[in-house]
Amino acid sequence: MRVYTFGSGTAEGRLDLVEQLGGKGAGLAAMSRMGVPVPPGFTITTDACRAFHADGGRSLPDGLLPELERGLTHLESATGRRLGDPNHPLLVSVRSGAAVSMPGMMDTVLDVGLTRASLDGLAAMGAGRRFALDSYRRLMEMYAEIVHGLDPSTLIGLRDDILELARVTELAALPLEYLEGLCAAYEKAMAEADAPLPEAPRAQLFGAIEGVFRSWNTRRAINHRRAAGIPDDLGTAVTVQAMVFGNLGPDSATGVAFTRHPTTGEPRLSGEYLPDAQGEDVVGGAHHVRPLARADGLNTDESLEATAPAVFAELQSIAQVLEGHFREVQDLEFTIEGGRVWMLQTRPANRSVRAAVRAAVEMAREGMIDRDEALRRVDPESLTRLLHPSVDAHARPRVLARGLPASPGAVSGIAVFDPDTAVERAGAGDRVILVRVETSTEDMDAIRAAVGVLTSRGGLTSHAALVARGLGRCCVTGCADIVVDERRGRFRIRRGSQVVEAGDVLTLDGSTGEVILGEVATTPADPPETFGALMEWADARRRLDVRSNADDAAAAQQGVQHGANGVGLCCTEHMFLEDDRLMLVRSLVLAPDAKARRREVESILPRQRRDFRALLEASADQPVGVRLLDLPLHDFMPTERAELREVADWLETPFDQVVTRAQRLRANNPDLGHRGCRVGLTFPELYEVQVRALFEAVVDVGGHDQLQVIIPMVTCAEELTRLHRRIAHMARRVARERAVDPIPFALGPMVESPRACLAAGELAKAADFFLFGTNDLTMTTYGMHRDDSGRFLPFYVDNDVLPADPFVRLDQGTVGRLVEWAVAAGRAARPGLPCGLSGAHAGTADAVEWAHRVGIDYVTCAPHRVPIARLAAARAAITGGEDA
């Protein structure tokens, strides 16, 4: 069965057949069964659309015509009119409607069945010649474009010429004789283009159905599906429905309504309407629409509530019935024909995240839904737009390029390509966006001075991304669409001729990764009161702990403000990137002997102790995980002779000796070289000063019972065992020197390589916990560097070599399987072993839900991602069927 009829209080279809009938068809069937006033019609299933495209889109599928005739018989019986009757013509609309909402992406044809022969019959039905000609004009415009694929400008140009000739600006003011001439001109133009409007009404109808089927594969529909992750093989249903006319006169109208305000979530009917018009006029943007409710517009006298209170009251009553039935905010399309309300569509409303949060919480409080359903109603990833400034939804930005959304917010500023110039311009009061190929430790001052950072290379865990997030700067990284020329101070768009020079104004949207030309209006962060309630419900529902990454006390406080359960990962290397501290570490590494290294340690110790004390105080009694230094020695090495000379002078060591040592330590492959625990073992003074400072800070704050010491880049149990001995020795030493009880701490490895995962059973015997690092685990599993992958991964994703960028979306089938295997092996060796997940993936909703499924105990992510992870963890618990 590929045709389902509805109308007159009955329907063959049901709401649960949405995959076959599409959202529109299923909604019409449901409304008809409820007794809501719905024009009769029938829906052709998505199966027919798939069959149409499988056959090359040449003609309607075999066997469909008899079913269409059955649907037409139902329509003619319900309306008392007949398709093709010149005296009482039946006109129909032909509308698309996929199972997944794709607003505006597919096509509609109205007034199908109207021919030159039936114009007089339509006019005699009560609305006159102008109404009939206007309907005919609309049909030809839609049919030419949607069915025949004619360039819209072909007819629109004629229309504009006629308007100019008649010296009017709107079709409503066009004299009747000119409207007659316009229709004749349309007929002639379509015939000359070999795209005539069929005179046989059934041929019109079948052609319109084919045209709407074809709209499933228009470029805009395909792009929308790709962006929204909608499969291409779903197909669209097509609904054929008796026309009701909103253009019959002043007591007729067409409009769109929402059962709650789509922007604020306010519980009242809102929307827009247009008197004496048809449906496409409201959404087309070419007409001055009017508000439905007095509260919606500046000119309240124009509202439907003011001009037709009885009609408004009826619409309001229907809206309440539909929202109550579906237990969801509804997006409604309606037509008022001669004062009578007809409903053309109901579907779940697209709404702002602010409205989604408010509606979900208030509907739960009203008893319409339960708290679990309220949590399911809000997309975790959407919270970014609620908690950070974003590009105004009403803005029409000129998007130049898209990169990775590395740090949220929306900022505008002048493009600056030189770090020193960025600091200088910012100091003069300019808002600066730092544009680089990629950033390094040398750019810290410029990043701090800028309002935003844009790089053409790098991933979500690149230097620019990590530092920008830590400083609260908006950041877009890995923008492969641009080619940056730092020397000339400009970038060009890779596919096109657009060039952005130093001083040009840009806007960055760090939540979407968009790079926009010029200054664009932004919306400030302003979560509603109901947001707090939603997050309380999420915390009560989730099993997973959600901790925050924090490299200093300020970041830890941000995590607390966002509801984190402590600090899951403090990356101590970022404490050393300030200019004065960088010199100390360089001097320690390049020192010629142990005595010189000890001297540098004494300089570092009080600064590290102060950092850790502030971090512990900001975290109160919550867990704190401190990862010991994990920068490749390469990153500490000076590259300029002046810098090397500065180190030599500081150490009072011959310059040539310092140069030789720096060359010896320089790595060919830093990320797989002398880094992590390897540095801790070969330069023991580095880890020694860190753990001494950490334990002394613990004593200074009066103790801390949930301290975790994290050892980076561990690949074998012996690394962990040796470092555990040294660290435990330092804990005992500090306790003895300070005359305090033993200092408790847990020690565990960062599990971030395939070997570490495969050796998890052995590692667990020497570990108190595991913390998986998905950034490096993805890099080592794929054999690709996140900062270089932007040069080819966009091609891979666009051409379906890979389904997604693995540094953005956790590859659960490979990287995830390694983690699952390691968790199981670790707990087999050490039952109850706590396991955490860190990395750029750990704050994404899909990875959090996966972590819940595989038994991870906690995730740790950037502070701004904490609310997203909290909500995702709650939804994972609900999906898993766990009791509240």
Side-chain angles (χ1 to χ4, degrees), residues 671-683 712-713 715 719:
D671 285 283
L672 298 179
H674 202 174
R675 59 167 289 198
C677 67
R678 300 158 190 165
V679 174
L681 285 168
T682 56
F683 287 85
M713 195 46 78
T715 56
E719 292 170 325

Side-chain angles (χ1 to χ4, degrees), residues 78-388:
T79 61
R81 301 175 189 171
R82 195 164 50 83
L83 192 70
D85 186 339
N87 298 315
H88 296 90
L90 169 65
L91 304 189
V92 298
S93 61
V94 182
R95 300 173 185 265
S96 60
V100 180
S101 181
M102 296 172 54
M105 294 300 110
M106 291 178 291
D107 292 326
T108 292
V109 186
L110 303 180
D111 302 307
V112 174
L114 182 59
T115 66
R116 173 65 71 174
S118 58
L119 277 175
D120 290 340
L122 182 61
M125 288 168 60
R129 183 74 175 174
R130 166 175 285 281
F131 159 72
L133 286 169
D134 188 54
S135 299
Y136 193 46
R137 183 265 310 171
R138 293 172 186 271
L139 170 61
M140 286 189 285
E141 288 178 356
M142 293 182 183
Y143 207 92
E145 179 182 358
I146 295 164
V147 180
H148 290 307
L150 207 60
D151 188 329
S153 64
T154 304
L155 299 190
I156 300 304
L158 291 172
R159 189 180 71 186
D160 292 344
D161 290 343
I162 294 286
L163 288 171
E164 184 177 353
L165 188 63
R167 297 182 180 179
V168 296
T169 58
E170 296 183 358
L171 284 165
L174 194 65
L176 184 60
E177 62 271 22
Y178 285 92
L179 187 55
E180 294 269 14
L182 178 60
C183 289
Y186 277 6
E187 290 173 327
K188 181 181 178 183
M190 291 176 68
E192 290 176 349
D194 198 24
L197 178 69
E199 276 296 308
R202 273 173 168 69
Q204 275 189 26
L205 175 61
F206 300 155
I209 293 169
E210 291 177 3
V212 175
F213 277 159
R214 278 194 292 270
S215 72
W216 174 255
N217 276 338
T218 60
R219 176 50 51 190
R220 70 177 183 274
I222 292 170
N223 289 342
H224 175 83
R225 290 199 297 272
R226 177 166 291 179
I230 300 171
D232 285 328
D233 59 358
L234 294 181
T236 181
V238 174
T239 293
V240 178
Q241 192 172 18
M243 284 292 300
V244 285
F245 298 100
N247 57 335
L248 277 177
D251 60 349
S252 299
T254 187
V256 174
F258 298 89
T259 57
R260 300 187 187 222
H261 197 286
T263 302
T264 67
E266 189 178 350
R268 63 174 178 81
L269 189 67
S270 67
E272 297 170 332
Y273 81 107
L274 196 60
D276 199 15
Q278 287 193 348
E280 299 305 301
D281 296 336
V282 176
V283 297
H287 299 271
H288 168 65
V289 294
R290 301 180 183 183
L292 275 184
R294 285 191 175 96
D296 280 333
L298 297 175
N299 188 351
T300 58
D301 292 338
E302 287 188 336
S303 69
L304 186 67
E305 186 178 10
T307 59
V311 172
F312 179 81
E314 182 183 0
L315 185 61
Q316 193 170 42
S317 176
I318 293 171
Q320 290 170 350
V321 167
L322 290 172
E323 181 176 277
H325 178 81
F326 292 110
R327 300 184 305 115
E328 173 64 293
V329 182
Q330 295 295 295
D331 173 356
L332 312 172
E333 290 183 18
F334 65 91
T335 287
I336 303 164
E337 183 183 72
R340 183 177 181 184
V341 177
W342 293 95
M343 303 307 297
L344 304 181
Q345 177 166 287
T346 187
R347 63 185 174 190
N350 286 330
R351 49 204 185 268
S352 73
V353 61
R354 182 182 182 85
V357 168
R358 178 174 176 177
V361 171
E362 291 185 348
M363 291 174 88
R365 288 172 175 170
E366 294 163 11
M368 193 177 297
I369 59 176
D370 60 23
R371 290 184 176 184
D372 280 1
E373 181 60 28
L375 293 168
R376 280 192 289 259
R377 291 277 173 89
V378 180
D379 174 16
E381 294 292 344
S382 72
L383 295 182
T384 297
R385 299 194 296 275
L386 186 68
L387 300 173
H388 303 276

Side-chain angles (χ1 to χ4, degrees), residues 647-676:
V647 173
D649 292 344
W650 177 275
L651 291 171
E652 298 178 353
T653 301
F655 175 69
D656 290 345
Q657 187 175 338
V658 170
V659 171
T660 300
R661 184 163 174 77
Q663 290 173 341
R664 191 183 311 131
L665 291 172
R666 194 171 304 283
N668 291 322
N669 191 338
D671 285 283
L672 298 179
H674 202 174
R675 59 167 289 198

Side-chain angles (χ1 to χ4, degrees), residues 654-808:
F655 175 69
D656 290 345
Q657 187 175 338
V658 170
V659 171
T660 300
R661 184 163 174 77
Q663 290 173 341
R664 191 183 311 131
L665 291 172
R666 194 171 304 283
N668 291 322
N669 191 338
D671 285 283
L672 298 179
H674 202 174
R675 59 167 289 198
C677 67
R678 300 158 190 165
V679 174
L681 285 168
T682 56
F683 287 85
E685 297 88 356
L686 267 176
Y687 277 12
E688 179 182 304
V689 69
Q690 285 198 293
V691 294
R692 171 180 275 278
L694 179 59
F695 293 141
E696 289 181 354
V698 169
V699 174
D700 289 347
V701 300
H704 198 286
D705 293 333
Q706 299 189 70
L707 178 66
Q708 292 181 319
V709 178
I710 305 166
I711 308 300
M713 195 46 78
V714 172
T715 56
C716 66
E718 185 61 25
E719 292 170 325
L720 198 60
T721 300
R722 293 190 181 197
L723 286 171
H724 200 167
R725 278 199 302 267
R726 293 182 188 179
I727 293 166
H729 173 74
M730 181 57 72
R732 291 191 297 270
R733 178 177 172 181
V734 170
R736 186 172 59 252
E737 291 173 354
R738 294 293 191 94
V740 296
D741 291 338
I743 300 169
F745 70 95
L747 185 139
M750 285 287 290
V751 181
E752 48 194 339
S753 69
R755 191 189 194 284
C757 291
L758 296 173
E762 290 301 311
L763 290 179
K765 296 174 184 177
D768 299 311
F769 64 90
F770 280 175
L771 181 59
F772 293 93
T774 61
N775 296 337
D776 282 342
L777 186 54
T778 298
M779 177 181 72
T780 51
T781 300
Y782 270 84
M784 67 173 71
H785 195 285
R786 56 186 176 261
D787 289 351
D788 291 328
S789 60
R791 301 174 184 178
F792 59 87
L793 269 179
F795 172 87
Y796 270 45
V797 174
D798 288 345
N799 291 276
D800 299 320
V801 179
L802 289 174
D805 182 338
F807 293 105
V808 176

Side-chain angles (χ1 to χ4, degrees), residues 806-850:
F807 293 105
V808 176
R809 184 186 301 169
L810 180 68
D811 183 349
Q812 298 175 17
T814 57
V815 178
R817 284 182 65 187
L818 284 169
V819 173
E820 291 182 60
W821 197 93
V823 169
R827 287 176 177 164
R830 189 183 184 101
L833 178 74
C835 293
L837 187 77
S838 70
H841 306 95
T844 62
D846 60 340
V848 171
E849 292 170 7
W850 168 85

